[in-house]
Amino acid sequence: MKIAVCLKAVPETDTRIRIAADGRSIDPTDVKFIMSPYDEFALEAALLTKEAKGGEVVVFGLGGDEVPTVLRDGLARGAERAVHISSAGIATHDPMIVGTVLAAALKEYGPDITFFGKHGVGGDNQAVPSMVAEHLGVPQATVVTKIEVNDRAVRCEREIEGGLEVVSTTLPCVIAAQKGMNEPRYPKLPAIMQAKKKPFATKTAADLGLSAAQVGDAAATMTITELRLPPARQAGRRIEGDVNEQVNGLLSALQNEAKVL
Amino acid sequence: MSNGVLVFAEQRDGHFKKAGLEALSEGRRLADKTGGSLHAVVIGSNVQGLAAEAGHYGADVVHVADNAALAKYSTDGYAKILTDVVRDVQPAVVVASATAMGKDLAPRVAARLGVGFASDVTETSVDGGAFTVVRPMYAGKAFAKVAFNRAPAVATLRPNVFAAAAPDAGRTAEVKAVGGVVVDGLAAKVTDILAAAGGKIELTEADIIVSGGRGIKGPENYPLIQGLADALGGAAGASRAVVDAGWVDHSYQVGQTGKTVSPSLYIACGISGAIQHLAGMSSSKFIVAINKDPDAPIFKVADYGIIGDLFEVVPRLTEQAKALKAKA
C-alpha cells in the first residue's frame, strides 16, 4: 500500500506571538518550529497502517528551511522517504494554494491513502485536507479518532458535537487525524541516525508543473491584510473572605455586574 | 454584491443547530448591508418544515434538498448540492458554521469553486462593498483580517460569537426544492452516529464552561467540575494536563491543541494558565479563576479571582448555584 503523510512545521505551541514589521505575519525571530501536534497522530496512523497492511510511507512537507527537520523526524519514526516542497514563490498563507501544491505532489506519487493532522496548529484553517481531497477527487474523513482498513473498505469514527460519526468509505481517500487516534511513537537514536541515509527529495513548484500564475501571490484567493494581537485582558478583582463570602461575592458579581447568570 | 448572501443552514435530526440560526441571522445582517437577498440552503431528510423557520430568521429564498439518502451527513452529497445552489444563485458571500459538519464541508466546496476561504470567523464587515472577515490564528494569540480576491467568499462562523436574532413568525420566504439531486453511490457516508453519554453539551456551543486543571488531583475528582457545570447548565472542560494524564477524554480539552471556546462565562478551577490554555479561552466574555496559588498566571486574565482551595470552593459554589436555579 502507498501511504502518504503531509507534515507541517509550525511554531512551538508555547510561542509568544509577535507581529512582523509588515503587519501581516508573525515575526519568526527566535521562533522554534516543531511538527504540528496533530500531524504526529497522522504519522502514527500511517505507520500503523503500513505495519498492518504492508507497503511504504512517504512524508511530504511544504515550506521553507523549517521543514526538513520535521520530515527527518518523520523518517526517524519509520517513513521510507521524504519530499520537501520548497515554498519559494508559493502563497502559503492561502490554504487553497497549499492544497493545490500538495495535491500536485501527491498526484505524482499516487497514494492509496493520505493522512493529515486535523489542522495545522497556528494557521488553524482546518481546510487543507478537505481541499486536497477535492483536488484529488477522492473521499475524505476529517477529525478522525479511529480508523479500520479492510481491503479497500475504510471505516472511520470522526468527532462531532456530542458524539462520533461512523464514516464508511473506500481507498483511495484522505484522512485527517484528531488527537486521541493513537499514541505517537518517538524515534530512537539509531533510527535518527539511519534517517539521515533515507531518500530525501527537494522539489519546487516548477518541478510539480505549477507556474507562478497558479500558485504565486497573484493566484491567492484570499489575502491577510492585517495581523494583530488580541486586546490584552486586564486582571480583574480578587474576591476576598472565607469560603462562604467568596462564593456569595462571586455569585453576586456574576449576577449583578457581569449579568451572566 | 448584488447577488446577496447564501447561508448553509445546518440542521441535525430535523432541527436547526444553534450555530445554524446564528449563521442565518448574521447572513441576514450581511444581506442588509449589501442590499442583496439572503438565500438559505437546507439539506436533510424530512426537512421541508424547516424552510418556514429559515424565513423567520431572515431568509428570502430557501433552497431545500429533502431526500432520505441525505438524512445523515456525507461530504460529497452535501458538497454537490451546496455547490450546485451556489453556482445557480451566484452570491457574493457563502456562510456556514464552524461546526464539525461546516468545517468538513465548506473548504471542500470552496476548493470546488476555486474561491477564497476563511474558517472560524469571529467578525465580519462590508467595507466599501468589499466583504472582509477577522479570524483567529495561533489559537487566538493573533487575529488576522482577511480580504477575498474571488467571489464568492466562503466563510465559516465560529459558534457562540454571532447573535441569533429573535425569530419573526410573520416573515415568509420563497421555498425552492433543489432538483436533480444525485445521491446514489456516495463515496463516503455516515452509517451511524455514536452519541456521547448523557446528552453532553458541546464545549464550543456552551454559554457557560467550567474547566478543571491539574489542581483537581485525579480523575475521581472530575465529577466536582461536571457537577458545577451541570448546576449552571453549562459544559465541562479540562486543561491539557488533565487530558494527557488520561483523566478525561480529549473532547474535553480547551486550548491550543484542544478546543478554542468563547462562552459568556468561563470558570477555571485548579488551572494555572499555560499560554496554550489561555489562547483557547481568552475570548470568553467573563473569566473566573479559582486557584490556591495567588501567583498563577490565570489570575492575570480573570475578571474575578478566588484564591482558595477548589475542594472547598467548588462544592459550595455548586450548592449555591443549584439554590439560585431553584429560585429562578
Side-chain angles (χ1 to χ4, degrees):
Chain A
M1 191 140 103
K2 293 167 90 173
I3 303 164
V5 191
C6 293
L7 301 177
K8 187 174 184 189
V10 304
E12 232 174 0
T13 57
D14 62 359
T15 304
R16 217 163 269 285
I17 298 296
R18 292 181 310 268
I19 307 297
D22 68 1
R24 299 167 51 197
S25 57
I26 64 163
D27 177 356
T29 314
D30 299 331
V31 173
K32 187 169 177 283
F33 285 85
I34 58 165
M35 184 186 298
S36 179
Y38 294 100
D39 295 355
E40 296 200 24
F41 304 102
L43 177 59
E44 182 64 27
L47 295 170
L48 291 171
T49 304
K50 177 185 76 174
E51 284 158 11
K53 308 286 168 191
E56 60 160 8
V57 173
V58 181
V59 287
F60 293 79
L62 167 62
D65 296 340
E66 70 285 3
V67 170
T69 312
V70 166
L71 291 177
R72 297 236 182 256
D73 184 6
L75 294 174
R77 296 193 210 201
E80 272 65 32
R81 60 188 178 90
V83 180
H84 174 202
I85 306 142
S86 162
S87 56
I90 297 175
T92 52
H93 73 276
D94 183 356
M96 188 72 68
I97 301 285
V98 172
T100 301
V101 173
L102 289 175
L106 290 164
K107 268 182 195 162
E108 282 196 342
Y109 176 50
D112 293 295
I113 190 163
T114 303
F115 289 96
F116 283 86
K118 155 181 99 91
H119 79 262
V121 162
D124 295 355
N125 293 297
Q126 204 171 326
V128 172
S130 295
M131 289 175 169
V132 166
E134 174 64 19
H135 290 309
L136 295 176
V138 302
Q140 68 191 50
T142 58
V143 201
V144 169
T145 55
K146 192 174 177 190
I147 184 169
E148 290 162 19
V149 180
N150 288 308
D151 294 323
R152 304 300 286 177
V154 179
R155 178 190 180 278
C156 292
E157 292 179 8
R158 70 180 293 262
E159 198 178 286
I160 61 167
E161 294 82 6
L164 297 166
E165 273 178 349
V166 179
V167 179
S168 296
T169 188
T170 52
L171 299 176
C173 61
V174 168
I175 303 294
Q178 166 69 312
K179 184 173 178 178
M181 190 179 186
N182 49 48
E183 279 293 329
R185 69 194 69 185
Y186 291 97
K188 298 191 173 68
L189 190 60
I192 294 171
M193 301 311 287
Q194 284 157 15
K196 291 179 181 163
K197 294 180 192 141
K198 289 186 176 176
F200 190 107
T202 302
K203 298 196 178 202
T204 63
D207 293 336
L208 297 170
L210 296 167
S211 66
Q214 288 169 295
V215 297
D217 271 333
T221 60
M222 44 74 80
T223 307
I224 296 174
T225 57
E226 186 193 341
L227 190 68
R228 55 180 152 82
L229 300 178
R233 280 192 91 103
Q234 299 301 316
R237 166 159 91 71
R238 299 275 162 106
I239 299 175
E240 313 285 351
D242 66 20
V243 170
N244 280 328
E245 287 163 344
Q246 285 178 321
V247 165
N248 292 336
L250 175 62
L251 285 172
S252 158
L254 293 176
Q255 281 186 293
N256 304 318
E257 292 173 20
K259 301 189 197 305
V260 289
L261 288 187
Chain B
M1 308 233 294
S2 56
N3 290 327
V5 176
L6 185 144
V7 170
F8 170 69
E10 181 177 336
Q11 65 84 30
R12 280 194 190 260
D13 303 323
H15 301 282
F16 282 125
K17 298 211 41 145
K18 179 165 164 266
L21 298 176
E22 291 167 5
L24 278 169
S25 305
E26 183 63 11
R28 179 70 259 165
R29 289 187 286 268
L30 285 170
D32 288 342
K33 283 184 204 166
T34 62
S37 306
L38 177 63
H39 294 258
V41 178
V42 180
I43 305 174
S45 175
N46 291 319
V47 292
Q48 284 291 344
L50 292 178
E53 192 182 352
H56 300 164
Y57 281 89
D60 299 309
V61 184
V62 186
H63 305 259
V64 181
D66 196 324
N67 189 310
L70 298 168
K72 293 197 182 82
Y73 174 65
S74 76
T75 310
D76 51 340
Y78 278 46
K80 172 155 190 3
I81 292 160
L82 185 55
T83 311
D84 285 351
V85 179
V86 169
R87 284 186 173 138
D88 182 39
V89 171
Q90 302 269 321
V93 176
V94 176
V95 167
S97 306
T99 53
M101 190 188 292
K103 287 196 254 191
D104 186 80
L105 175 65
R108 182 120 196 182
V109 169
R112 193 164 298 179
L113 296 166
V115 298
F117 173 68
S119 60
D120 218 18
V121 163
T122 54
E123 284 175 53
T124 67
S125 51
V126 180
D127 305 326
F131 176 66
T132 61
V133 299
V134 172
R135 60 176 301 272
M137 293 179 74
Y138 304 95
K141 287 189 237 169
F143 284 79
K145 190 169 183 188
V146 172
F148 298 89
N149 306 333
R150 288 185 217 167
V154 180
T156 59
L157 306 183
R158 174 179 288 189
N160 242 351
V161 171
F162 297 91
D168 175 358
R171 247 187 132 274
T172 54
E174 180 190 347
V175 181
K176 289 186 173 176
V178 181
V181 171
V182 178
V183 287
D184 291 335
L186 294 173
K189 52 185 160 191
V190 174
T191 49
D192 200 6
I193 293 178
L194 314 172
K200 196 173 84 158
I201 299 172
E202 167 61 20
L203 275 175
T204 52
E205 297 175 338
D207 201 40
I208 296 177
I209 294 174
V210 182
S211 274
R214 214 189 297 264
I216 67 168
K217 292 188 173 141
E220 66 280 9
N221 297 320
Y222 193 75
L224 274 180
I225 302 300
Q226 186 71 56
L228 178 56
D230 291 345
L232 293 168
S239 71
R240 177 176 162 176
V242 164
V243 171
D244 284 355
W247 299 351
V248 296
D249 181 76
H250 173 251
S251 61
Y252 287 81
Q253 187 180 326
V254 172
Q256 189 153 4
T257 50
K259 288 171 178 150
T260 305
V261 297
S262 311
S264 299
L265 174 60
Y266 189 92
I267 304 180
C269 309
I271 292 177
S272 65
I275 185 170
Q276 297 95 330
H277 190 79
L278 298 182
M281 46 66 85
S282 283
S283 61
S284 305
K285 288 183 194 80
F286 288 91
I287 296 172
V288 172
I290 301 167
N291 202 302
K292 54 183 189 191
D293 174 8
D295 298 322
I298 190 82
F299 285 118
K300 295 204 178 97
V301 301
D303 299 282
Y304 302 108
I306 290 181
I307 298 166
D309 182 352
L310 74 88
F311 291 98
E312 290 175 21
V313 176
V314 172
R316 181 77 190 135
L317 190 54
T318 306
E319 201 178 291
Q320 294 288 81
K322 277 186 190 159
L324 209 62
K325 290 276 171 195
K327 241 192 284 171

